[in-house]
Amino acid sequence: MELVKELPAIFDEFSEQRKKSFITAYEFKQKGIPMVGGFCTYLPKELPMAMGACMVGLCSKTGETIPDAEKDLPRNLCPLIKASYGFAKTDKCPFFYFSDLIVGETTCDGKKKMYEMLGEFKNVHVMQLPQTQNEDGVELYRREAIRFKEKLEEQFGVTITDDQVREAIKTNNEQRRAIKAFYELQKMDPPPMGGMDIHKVLDGVQFRFDIPAATEDIKALTEKVLREYDPKKFEGRKRILITGSPIGCSTEKVVNAIEQNGGVVVCYENCGGARSVDELVDENDPDVYHALAKRYVNIPCSCMSPNPGRTELMGRLIDEYKIDGVIEVVLQACHTFNVESYKIKNFVQQEKHIPYMYMETDYSSTDAGQVNTRVGAFIEML
Ligand code: BJ8
C-alpha cells in the first residue's frame, strides 16, 4: 500500500481492500493454499494461520442476498445472519465459494440454527462455545480450540505444532497492538479522524492476508495521521462512542448522521472496533490453547451471560476518549444486544452520567431519514 498518497485516498484504499482481496484469494487457491472462512470474533484465527492457511471473514455486511435467504429463513431474523446465509446459498461471495472449510460458533441462537442449515450444502465445522467466562468456560473453549485444530489437521493432512501456534499468536498480537495504536489516536482532543476513516481501516485490514505487511502499513498510517494532524478539522464536535451489534453496511448511515449533525465518532465499542482487539493473547503461557481460551472467552459480547466485561470496557473507553454521548445501534432481531441495552443504558446514564441513545436498524437505507432526525436531536441536546 502506497503511503505517499493523501490520507483520504489511503482510507479509501483500505475500504476497497475487500474487493481486491477476491483476486488475492483466487491466486492463493491456484497455489493450493487452504482457505478457512469464519464469522465471529470468538474464532481463534491463530489456528488456521498456524498451518499457513488463509483466514477470511464471512460476515456479510450488505443486504443484497437477504431476499434469497428469506426463502429459507424467517423474515424477522437478524440481517447479518440472513445476509451471510444468502451469500453462501447464492455463491455470490467469492470467499464462501473459495472456503475449503467454514467455521461457525455457538453464539446467538439465530446463528447456531443457521449453521445447521449451512452445513447441508457447505463444509461447516461448529465450535461449541461456552456462555460464561469462568474457569469452566475457559476449559470448554480450550477443548473446542483443540478439536478445531484436530479438524484442520484431519481435513488438510497437516500437523499443527505448538510452536506454529505461538508464532501465529505473536503475529496477531503485533497486529492488534498496531490497530489499537491507530484507533487510539482518536483520544486526541479534537480527534484527527472521522468515524468512517477509522471504520474503513479497521474493516479493510481484515481482508489483508499478509498480516505482517498489513501491520506495517497500519503503523505507517498511524504516524502519517499524527504528522498531518489538523486540530481544526473536528474542533468543537461532540465526541460519540458507538456500541451494540456489528452493524456492517449500516455504519455509513449512522456515522454520516452523527457527523453531519455536529458530532464525530471517536470510538467503536463493537466487534468492528475495541471489542475485538482490546485484549492480547498471553505469549508466555506455556499452554498455547489455554492462552487462546483465556483471551477469547473474555471477549465482552452480549452472547455471554453474564457479561460484566462490556461495562468494564465501556467505562474505560468513555473516560479515555472523553465521550460526550453514547449511541447504541442494535440490528433488528438481535435479542442479546437488545436485552442487554437496558443495562448499558443504566450504566451510561447513572454511573457515567452521560447521555445515551438507543436505535434499532437493519441493512437497508429506508430509515436513513429517521436515523438522521433522531441523531440530530440527540447531539443537539449534548
Ligand atoms: S463476538 S457480536 S461477531 S457473536 S448474528 S449476535 S447481530 S443476532 S454478530 Fe457477533 Fe461474535 Fe458477538 Fe462479535 Fe446479534 Fe445478529 Fe446474532 Fe450478531
Side-chain angles (χ1 to χ4, degrees):
M1 190 163 285
E2 272 191 71
L3 289 163
V4 286
K5 291 181 183 163
E6 297 290 309
L7 280 173
I10 299 173
F11 294 137
D12 285 344
E13 209 167 305
F14 265 98
S15 90
E16 283 154 16
Q17 199 54 52
R18 188 167 185 271
K19 273 189 202 142
K20 279 193 201 152
S21 61
F22 292 155
I23 300 161
T24 320
Y26 175 73
E27 288 166 355
F28 277 26
K29 289 301 288 182
Q30 298 295 95
K31 290 184 198 154
I33 296 171
M35 190 155 293
V36 176
F39 295 90
C40 180
T41 309
Y42 282 113
L43 194 148
K45 54 187 175 185
E46 286 83 355
L47 297 180
M49 287 175 183
M51 57 166 263
C54 179
M55 182 73 231
V56 287
L58 297 175
C59 260
S60 301
K61 293 167 183 167
T62 69
E64 181 187 338
T65 61
I66 287 180
D68 289 296
E70 284 176 346
K71 289 179 188 152
D72 302 352
L73 292 167
R75 287 175 66 101
N76 64 341
L77 190 64
C78 151
L80 191 153
I81 302 174
K82 287 191 288 189
S84 300
Y85 180 84
F87 274 103
K89 184 184 166 189
T90 57
D91 260 337
K92 277 189 182 163
C93 169
F95 292 145
F96 272 105
Y97 181 76
F98 289 142
S99 292
D100 300 293
L101 177 68
I102 292 176
V103 191
E105 71 309 311
T106 53
T107 47
C108 67
D109 290 349
K111 276 209 282 192
K112 275 193 282 208
K113 301 312 283 182
M114 182 272 277
Y115 295 141
E116 289 176 23
M117 293 163 68
L118 198 60
E120 285 172 18
F121 57 94
K122 292 278 179 193
N123 183 20
V124 176
H125 172 84
V126 177
M127 281 184 75
Q128 301 292 328
L129 293 195
Q131 305 213 329
T132 50
Q133 294 162 315
N134 56 18
E135 272 311 308
D136 288 345
V138 171
E139 189 41 41
L140 170 58
Y141 188 102
R142 182 181 173 279
R143 281 202 305 275
E144 281 296 299
I146 293 172
R147 194 171 69 85
F148 175 35
K149 175 204 84 129
E150 289 167 351
K151 169 74 190 174
L152 293 168
E153 290 180 324
E154 178 207 306
Q155 174 163 343
F156 297 103
V158 294
T159 302
I160 299 175
T161 67
D162 284 4
D163 282 345
Q164 287 171 322
V165 177
R166 204 163 281 120
E167 226 14 73
I169 287 174
K170 283 187 187 152
T171 306
N172 278 290
N173 272 351
E174 188 57 18
Q175 181 160 92
R176 289 183 185 112
R177 283 189 205 97
I179 292 175
K180 239 180 130 173
F182 169 72
Y183 72 65
E184 282 184 349
L185 290 173
Q186 291 296 82
K187 286 182 186 173
M188 293 164 76
D189 192 7
M193 296 173 282
M196 278 312 289
D197 299 333
I198 323 167
H199 172 74
K200 283 174 186 172
V201 176
L202 299 186
D203 190 58
V205 74
Q206 296 173 38
F207 299 99
R208 293 279 306 273
F209 302 140
D210 184 341
I211 309 279
T215 303
E216 288 313 307
D217 280 351
I218 291 176
K219 287 181 186 171
L221 176 61
T222 305
E223 283 172 22
K224 189 174 170 73
V225 172
L226 208 49
R227 264 197 320 272
E228 297 179 14
Y229 175 53
D230 173 7
K232 292 211 166 50
K233 202 168 171 197
F234 294 103
E235 199 175 20
R237 303 283 195 106
K238 297 295 176 191
R239 302 169 66 87
I240 304 295
L241 178 147
I242 290 184
T243 183
S245 320
I247 46 175
C249 62
S250 297
T251 307
E252 195 163 354
K253 174 171 69 182
V254 176
V255 172
N256 285 346
I258 292 168
E259 299 190 351
Q260 284 163 8
N261 284 288
V264 57
V265 177
V266 291
C267 188
Y268 292 93
E269 188 284 307
N270 60 20
C271 271
R275 195 183 299 146
S276 58
V277 286
D278 188 62
E279 264 193 51
L280 301 177
V281 181
D282 183 356
E283 295 175 18
N284 300 314
D285 190 331
D287 178 348
V288 287
Y289 294 97
H290 180 260
L292 289 172
K294 281 287 271 187
R295 186 267 172 188
Y296 279 95
V297 165
N298 238 3
I299 292 168
C301 168
S302 62
C303 293
M304 287 288 169
S305 177
N307 182 28
R310 185 155 169 229
T311 43
E312 187 275 314
L313 173 63
M314 196 174 307
R316 188 153 44 85
L317 297 175
I318 286 172
D319 294 340
E320 290 174 359
Y321 288 78
K322 301 189 203 86
I323 299 298
D324 294 311
V326 170
I327 299 186
E328 174 143 42
V329 189
V330 173
L331 287 179
Q332 256 169 26
C334 174
H335 302 313
T336 55
F337 279 101
N338 195 356
V339 174
E340 199 168 273
S341 67
Y342 176 77
K343 271 193 183 167
I344 298 301
K345 176 184 172 185
N346 287 346
F347 173 75
V348 171
Q349 291 181 335
Q350 291 165 20
E351 292 191 37
K352 304 308 289 181
H353 307 289
I354 57 171
Y356 164 97
M357 173 184 161
Y358 173 88
M359 74 164 79
E360 199 169 280
T361 191
D362 61 11
Y363 279 2
S364 75
S365 53
T366 50
D367 61 350
Q370 198 196 1
V371 168
N372 196 48
T373 311
R374 289 196 57 212
V375 168
F378 177 71
I379 293 177
E380 208 180 306
M381 64 102 185
L382 292 178

